[in-house]
């Protein structure tokens, strides 16, 4: 399956700050930087017009400190009170916390492309894979820079790009502040017919293999468009299909496929059934923890991290909610399709 590599690279530390500064309705999303509403005249030496999506984008404003000799910059989220899901042992509490956030990046230019390498506190060094941005002036940090779904490997001097990354994200650097802007696209247009899930499932059945795909494969495009000789289709739509396999009729339905905020939230439900049995798979992921998710009942579904402010004060907070039933769902499908060795699905 294709793993969308933006999860591991694009502004991982800025997303941490966003989680802390904008994770609840009671939190603030701007600092006391001088200009909270950048316009064409306030983005340094760059005079190009801002894109149409910018006005409605989700924005966070930071103070900016640039060391042009070292080609590094530090962004600072001024001290303020924010709401976060704080974890103390087994106790989960939605509470106000101080947020003094700073993060340092190294920047470089590859042709007319800006490459940003974040400071990895664990490795005590800058990352060697940098997120790539275009739109500004080569050699000049200041201005408007839009993320492209590419990583630049500084050790190999090579870039790698993804063709399945809808995120629209940009930096606007001015002399003393920087604004991040993220456009939240509408729910992706879902097409079960061309999903990797359908291809994996029907290919396995057609080849006589005892295999069923993971729910996440619904988000990936099929690698090849195949015909399945042993599968007798009676109908197919963008949200499911009905087919016959070994004389039994099966229905597939995807009633929930929601990506309202592609960088933070996603929800999927898929149902596959015969006349005798029904299997339901669910996947819910959130990287923007809300008060509703911050409960003791959800503790096992919350991934955590340590946040440490500039004064050395630290606390553990919930950074991700993840709930899925892949194991149960795949075992159910093994039973549904009459697989003899269901345990082989989990080898």
């Amino acid at each position: 399956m294709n793993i969308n590599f933006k999860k591991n690279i694009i502004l991982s530390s800025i997303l941490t700050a966003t989680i802390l500064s904008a994770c609840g309705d009671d939190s603030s999303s701007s600092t006391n930087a001088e200009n909270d509403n950048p316009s064409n005249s306030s983005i340094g030496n760059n005079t190009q017009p801002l894109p149409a999506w910018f006005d409605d984008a989700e924005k966070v404003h930071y103070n900016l400190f640039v060391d042009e000799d070292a080609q590094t910059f530090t962004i600072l989220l001024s001290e303020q009170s924010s709401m976060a899901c704080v974890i103390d042992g087994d106790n989960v509490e939605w509470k106000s916390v101080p947020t003094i956030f700073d993060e340092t990046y190294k920047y470089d230019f590859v042709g007319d492309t800006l490459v940003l390498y974040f400071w990895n506190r664990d490795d005590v060094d800058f990352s060697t894979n940098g997120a790539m941005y275009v739109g500004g002036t080569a050699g000049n940090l200041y201005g408007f820079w839009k993320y492209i779904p590419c990583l630049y490997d500084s050790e190999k001097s090579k870039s790698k790009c993804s063709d399945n990354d809808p995120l629209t994200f940009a930096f606007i650097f001015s002399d003393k502040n920087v604004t991040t802007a993220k456009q939240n696209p509408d729910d992706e247009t879902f097409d079960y017919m061309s999903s990797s899930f359908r291809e994996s499932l029907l290919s396995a059945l057609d080849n006589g293999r005892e295999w069923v795909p993971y729910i996440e494969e619904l988000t990936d495009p099929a690698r090849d468009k195949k015909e399945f000789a042993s599968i007798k289709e009676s109908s197919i739509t963008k949200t499911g299909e009905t087919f016959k396999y070994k004389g039994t009729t099966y229905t597939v339905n995807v009633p929930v496929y929601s990506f309202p905020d592609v960088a933070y939230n996603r929800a999927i439900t898929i149902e596959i059934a015969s006349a005798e049995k029904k299997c339901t798979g669910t996947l819910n992921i959130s990287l923007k923890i809300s008060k509703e998710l911050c409960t003791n009942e959800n503790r096992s579904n919350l991934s955590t991290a340590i946040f440490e402010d500039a004064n050395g004060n630290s606390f553990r907070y919930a950074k991700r909610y993840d709930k899925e039933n892949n194991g149960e769902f795949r075992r159910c499908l093994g039973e549904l399709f009459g697989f003899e060795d269901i345990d082989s699905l989990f080898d």
Side-chain angles (χ1 to χ4, degrees):
M1 138 180 35
N2 293 329
I3 300 298
N4 196 333
F5 72 163
K6 73 170 179 287
K7 297 177 185 176
N8 299 320
I9 185 64
I10 178 171
L11 304 171
S12 59
S13 49
I14 287 183
L15 291 181
T16 298
T18 303
I19 290 169
L20 291 175
S21 65
C23 59
D25 294 337
D26 298 328
S27 61
S28 171
S29 62
S30 66
T31 75
N32 57 1
E34 290 184 357
N35 189 349
D36 280 355
N37 295 291
S39 64
N40 294 339
S41 61
S42 66
I43 55 175
N45 300 322
N46 196 316
T47 58
Q48 81 241 43
L50 297 177
W53 61 265
F54 181 82
D55 286 343
D56 296 325
E58 179 180 328
K59 306 179 189 70
V60 182
H61 311 289
Y62 304 88
N63 293 301
L64 175 69
F65 304 90
V66 180
D67 184 338
E68 294 186 0
D69 293 333
Q71 284 194 258
T72 63
F73 66 84
T74 297
I75 59 176
L76 174 66
L77 185 66
S78 298
E79 183 174 7
Q80 58 182 316
S81 178
S82 300
M83 302 301 293
C85 187
V86 178
I87 311 295
D88 184 6
D90 292 330
N91 186 54
V92 178
E93 184 178 1
W94 183 255
K95 62 187 294 186
S96 176
V97 296
T99 57
I100 305 175
F101 171 81
D102 70 279
E103 193 65 79
T104 299
Y105 287 80
K106 185 175 180 63
Y107 65 92
D108 199 2
F109 295 91
V110 178
D112 59 358
T113 302
L114 172 67
V115 184
L116 301 183
Y117 307 92
F118 69 89
W119 177 259
N120 190 319
R121 286 185 168 89
D122 293 332
D123 295 338
V124 197
D125 201 356
F126 290 101
S127 61
T128 56
N129 287 317
M132 303 179 72
Y133 295 78
V134 297
T137 302
N140 181 6
L141 175 67
Y142 302 101
F144 177 89
W145 292 96
K146 179 186 175 183
Y147 165 73
I148 57 175
C150 299
L151 303 180
Y152 186 78
D153 187 331
S154 60
E155 295 180 333
K156 298 180 180 179
S157 299
K158 292 183 179 180
S159 61
K160 179 181 180 181
C161 299
S162 168
D163 58 1
N164 185 31
D165 189 344
L167 183 62
T168 301
F169 190 94
F171 275 116
I172 297 180
F173 294 96
S174 62
D175 292 337
K176 295 182 180 181
N177 60 77
V178 60
T179 295
T180 64
K182 179 171 67 67
Q183 181 187 26
N184 292 326
D186 296 332
D187 279 14
E188 297 175 359
T189 301
F190 175 63
D191 187 352
Y192 173 79
M193 294 184 288
S194 60
S195 70
S196 176
F197 184 99
R198 178 178 187 265
E199 180 189 45
S200 294
L201 176 63
L202 297 192
S203 290
L205 296 177
D206 194 41
N207 294 330
R209 295 177 58 222
E210 296 194 349
W211 176 255
V212 290
Y214 294 86
I215 301 169
E216 291 91 332
E217 290 196 52
L218 286 164
T219 67
D220 295 330
R223 292 169 290 277
D224 301 298
K225 291 187 177 181
K226 298 180 179 179
E227 298 294 330
F228 307 101
S230 64
I231 307 299
K232 307 301 180 184
E233 299 175 11
S234 58
S235 64
I236 185 168
T237 69
K238 287 189 174 183
T239 59
E241 68 178 314
T242 300
F243 66 87
K244 281 191 175 182
Y245 171 68
K246 292 185 175 181
T248 299
T249 298
Y250 298 93
T251 61
V252 182
N253 181 38
V254 184
V256 177
Y257 187 88
S258 178
F259 282 53
D261 183 338
V262 71
Y264 292 121
N265 301 298
R266 58 193 65 190
I268 299 172
T269 298
I270 179 171
E271 301 166 340
I272 302 181
S274 66
E276 291 77 27
K277 186 178 182 64
K278 179 178 179 180
C279 301
T280 301
T282 59
L283 172 71
N284 288 279
I285 296 174
S286 179
L287 298 180
K288 185 179 289 186
I289 305 300
S290 65
K291 182 178 181 180
E292 288 70 28
L293 291 176
C294 184
T295 65
N296 289 314
E297 290 75 18
N298 287 335
R299 177 64 183 90
S300 61
N301 304 115
L302 297 172
S303 299
T304 67
I306 297 293
F307 179 81
E308 183 174 327
D309 65 26
N311 295 324
N313 302 311
S314 65
F315 60 87
R316 182 174 294 277
Y317 71 99
K319 67 175 183 177
R320 177 186 175 98
Y321 173 83
D322 194 334
K323 186 175 184 180
E324 47 80 13
N325 69 336
N326 261 314
E328 174 188 343
F329 177 58
R330 297 178 75 235
R331 185 174 292 277
C332 181
L333 289 181
E335 296 171 352
L336 180 70
F337 293 115
F339 293 164
E340 294 181 0
D341 185 10
I342 296 176
D343 289 336
S344 66
L345 296 174
F346 306 97
D347 291 343

